[in-house]
Amino acid sequence: MTNGINRRTFLKGAGVLAASAALPVGLVEIAFGKGNESFTFAYISDSHITQINDTQFVRNFDRGLQKAVLEVNFMDPQPDFVIFGGDLAQLGKKAEIDHGLAMMKDLTVPVTWVIGEHDYYLDLGKYWQEKVSPLYYSFDHKGVHFVVLNSILTHDDWTHKRWPTPEERMRQMARLDNPEGSPFMVKDEQIAWLKGDLAKVKKDTPLVVLSHSPLYKVFKEWNFWTDDAEKVQALLKPFKKVQVLHGHVHQVLYNRIGNISFNAFMATAWPWPYPVSYSQLKNKVPDMTVFMNRADPFKERDGTGWGKIDLAAGPKVVHHYELWENSPRTVENNPKGNPADTKYQDPKMRIPSQEHY
Amino acid sequence: MLKIVCSVAAVVVAAIALVISPARADEFTKEDLKKWDAAFQTVAKEGEKLFHSALGKNSVSCDMCHPHASNNHPETYPKFQKQLGKVVGLREMINWCIQNPLEGVPLALDDPRMYALEAYIYWERRGVKLAPGKH
Ligand SMILES: [Fe+2]
Ligand SMILES: [Fe+2]
């Protein structure tokens, strides 16, 4: 955590500001938010705080979260709030949630919380609801309707009957490539709630939906997947502008299905490979995503980072990927409305480290 | 003369070896093949178990960065590992991961656990074209 990195983040923030001030008026008029209500929020996700014994936690993962918190605090101007995308803890332990919360308390702006499977499957969200946040809820901010979903539920049998102890259940769900795993779902009770919540919202109100897993299907074997995603998408379909933001995949990932744009962000803990790198199974990784570079394991923070979302700097939404140890990435909607990398979308612009093993 | 004696002796030794050898080269059955495959699978399964357990001191495991042993590219080894500044095999990289992200003690290069890890990693990459040296 050198001063150089902090200064770079700060300066980059200032550069983005200057660029948005210079945008043609026409572009600003079709901003995501209503009227002149432009705003920025930050996205931190997947810190996977891991307890080793009573007082010891995995240093690497602590450092990732601390670095993200520090850099968000350096943002100038400050974001309106921070979204935490889930997987604060590794095995859902109180000590891990408490330790993660203690680090997140250093943030100078409020936090909107999304729960991940690593926070949930020890006590099924009990401690999270006591100490952190409800599991699903909605709120309005400067003309945008935000919905938080708990997308990491699964079959009742798997949750309640399959495992001898809560610890064993948590351990099983924590293994990403588990053949004994179970697919993520939003489930009907929450879908009914969502239907009711959205009934009160005008169809031209911009929507931002926050979930931990992608609300579409990428790769079932790693739960880059929500089994009942289509039911959620159907409820979002009547709205003019819909942005889904999610964690869980620990990588830059973006897609568009109809009116819905999907963007995922890096973890602060460690990066995950793209499912295409597992040669034995088929995947549905969206073609439009320009992958982040394969992380260099000798650089501990490579492939991790945090994000910043501008809801007014461009035609729709601008996603800034603060990709540590790499050049930062920017993804925004192109004239066709698809999310596109502003620099690397054209294959001719790619650099060898993007193909590197 | 001595040469001829020697080569005659060699032929005799070879003939004796042939006679006392228990089976001809083509004398193995489908059952044998099954047995040998099962022996490999047992080692690969052991590797899968190791790959998903804490091999170091901090409870971190290999699969946390490499689900299904993906993103290891075993087909590219040996190769020039730019971070180490020399040509190394997959085993050196397995040990690097055990020592650094896993904060553990490296395995001997001929440790049975090393063979098991290797068996699992290669098994999950089966069918991919060899590409030694590729970056
Ligand atoms: Fe995660
Ligand atoms: Fe997750």
Side-chain angles (χ1 to χ4, degrees):
Chain A
M1 242 174 286
T2 64
N3 280 330
I5 289 170
N6 293 331
R7 191 157 53 238
R8 187 187 65 118
T9 307
F10 172 78
L11 289 174
K12 205 181 81 64
V16 167
L17 258 190
S20 48
L23 278 174
V25 177
L27 286 181
V28 180
E29 272 180 358
I30 47 167
F32 191 83
K34 280 183 177 169
N36 294 322
E37 298 238 70
S38 65
F39 63 97
T40 298
F41 54 91
Y43 195 97
I44 301 177
S45 197
D46 293 271
S47 54
H48 289 265
I49 298 304
T50 306
Q51 188 184 33
I52 303 170
N53 56 40
D54 285 353
T55 54
Q56 255 192 317
F57 293 84
V58 173
R59 176 196 52 79
N60 181 346
F61 307 155
D62 280 8
R63 290 249 176 107
L65 184 56
Q66 284 160 353
K67 183 172 162 68
V69 167
L70 192 75
E71 290 182 6
V72 169
N73 284 345
F74 263 86
M75 281 173 74
D76 184 22
Q78 284 279 281
D80 284 16
F81 53 87
V82 174
I83 291 165
F84 188 87
D87 288 351
L88 179 66
Q90 171 65 8
L91 293 175
K93 298 181 201 171
K94 286 181 182 173
E96 291 173 344
I97 292 174
D98 287 343
H99 189 53
L101 283 177
M103 286 184 257
M104 289 290 284
K105 279 220 174 74
D106 290 339
L107 281 168
T108 47
V109 291
V111 183
T112 296
W113 295 93
V114 182
I115 194 165
E117 80 277 23
H118 288 260
D119 308 313
Y120 182 78
Y121 279 93
L122 182 63
D123 66 0
L124 306 181
K126 188 168 173 283
Y127 196 61
W128 187 267
Q129 289 173 89
E130 280 168 33
K131 279 301 252 308
V132 185
S133 122
L135 302 181
Y136 58 94
Y137 53 100
S138 69
F139 62 96
D140 293 290
H141 185 79
K142 295 184 176 170
V144 177
H145 187 65
F146 283 81
V147 180
V148 175
L149 294 177
N150 173 13
S151 65
I152 52 79
L153 298 169
T154 195
H155 297 290
D156 286 342
D157 277 4
W158 195 96
T159 306
H160 298 291
K161 294 182 184 160
R162 180 87 178 261
W163 307 107
T165 62
E167 288 75 18
E168 182 59 14
R169 175 178 61 202
M170 180 67 255
R171 221 176 52 78
Q172 293 288 341
M173 191 50 100
R175 176 176 168 182
L176 192 73
D177 59 5
N178 194 351
E180 307 298 323
S182 193
F184 291 151
M185 299 170 191
V186 176
K187 302 190 88 171
D188 289 349
E189 187 188 321
Q190 210 180 162
I191 288 171
W193 170 83
L194 178 64
K195 196 174 174 187
D197 182 77
L198 294 179
K200 294 171 259 165
V201 182
K202 281 211 208 118
K203 299 291 179 276
D204 63 347
T205 302
L207 281 188
V208 176
V209 181
L210 308 168
S211 58
H212 179 66
S213 55
L215 291 175
Y216 65 106
K217 290 170 172 172
V218 182
F219 190 56
K220 194 171 188 176
E221 286 75 10
W222 297 352
N223 257 336
F224 288 14
W225 186 275
T226 305
D227 222 42
D228 49 7
E230 291 84 359
K231 287 190 190 173
V232 178
Q233 288 171 19
L235 293 179
L236 304 177
K237 211 172 171 186
F239 290 84
K240 257 163 82 183
K241 299 169 191 168
V242 188
Q243 173 69 56
V244 173
L245 301 172
H246 66 92
H248 184 66
V249 296
H250 298 201
Q251 62 194 218
V252 174
L253 187 74
Y254 48 93
N255 194 15
R256 185 180 143 116
I257 300 172
N259 59 325
I260 312 170
S261 293
F262 302 84
N263 286 71
F265 292 85
M266 300 79 72
T268 61
W270 73 84
W272 260 327
Y274 290 92
V276 295
S277 77
Y278 183 48
S279 50
Q280 309 301 322
L281 290 170
K282 286 212 179 77
N283 64 77
K284 291 191 260 182
V285 175
D287 285 340
M288 67 179 75
T289 293
V290 177
F291 292 178
M292 59 185 194
N293 307 351
R294 184 189 188 275
D296 177 347
F298 289 64
K299 291 187 161 60
E300 191 171 81
R301 294 262 71 78
D302 192 8
T304 60
W306 55 283
K308 186 175 83 165
I309 296 101
D310 275 320
L311 285 190
K316 213 176 176 187
V317 186
V318 184
H319 304 268
H320 303 276
Y321 289 92
E322 238 356 281
L323 198 47
W324 291 326
E325 311 257 22
N326 271 271
S327 313
R329 300 258 312 261
T330 304
V331 172
E332 61 181 45
N333 294 77
N334 67 15
K336 279 191 194 153
N338 291 329
D341 190 289
T342 54
K343 187 172 177 190
Y344 299 114
Q345 199 68 36
D346 179 357
K348 287 199 290 280
M349 293 301 293
R350 311 240 170 114
I351 52 177
S353 50
Q354 290 178 312
E355 309 294 329
H356 172 72
Y357 280 9
Chain B
M1 186 64 191
L2 188 66
K3 238 185 194 170
I4 294 166
V5 172
C6 276
S7 44
V8 167
V11 168
V12 169
V13 167
I16 291 168
L18 253 180
V19 169
I20 62 167
S21 116
R24 292 204 183 97
D26 60 358
E27 280 184 2
F28 59 86
T29 61
K30 281 187 180 155
E31 294 311 306
D32 289 325
L33 287 173
K34 266 191 211 152
K35 220 162 48 192
W36 300 339
D37 186 53
F40 170 79
Q41 290 299 344
T42 304
V43 173
K45 264 269 167 265
E46 177 59 25
E48 181 181 358
K49 225 192 297 167
L50 292 166
F51 202 84
H52 292 81
S53 57
L55 294 178
K57 295 191 182 82
N58 63 1
S59 83
V60 174
S61 55
C62 306
D63 64 301
M64 284 165 68
C65 288
H66 301 277
H68 284 113
S70 64
N71 215 19
N72 285 311
H73 303 286
E75 76 280 9
T76 64
Y77 288 92
K79 76 169 167 201
F80 182 81
Q81 194 71 42
K82 74 173 170 90
Q83 304 94 334
L84 298 174
K86 60 180 178 185
V87 174
V88 300
L90 183 66
R91 289 176 197 194
E92 277 82 3
M93 286 308 293
I94 292 173
N95 267 341
W96 186 88
C97 281
I98 291 174
Q99 282 176 277
N100 292 279
L102 274 52
E103 299 179 35
V105 181
L107 300 174
L109 292 180
D110 62 353
D111 188 305
R113 288 171 294 173
M114 182 60 91
Y115 283 100
L117 286 164
E118 230 179 33
Y120 172 62
I121 293 168
Y122 277 95
W123 175 250
E124 289 287 34
R125 196 68 176 160
R126 66 196 178 278
V128 174
K129 219 169 104 185
L130 285 176
K134 182 176 158 65
H135 281 274

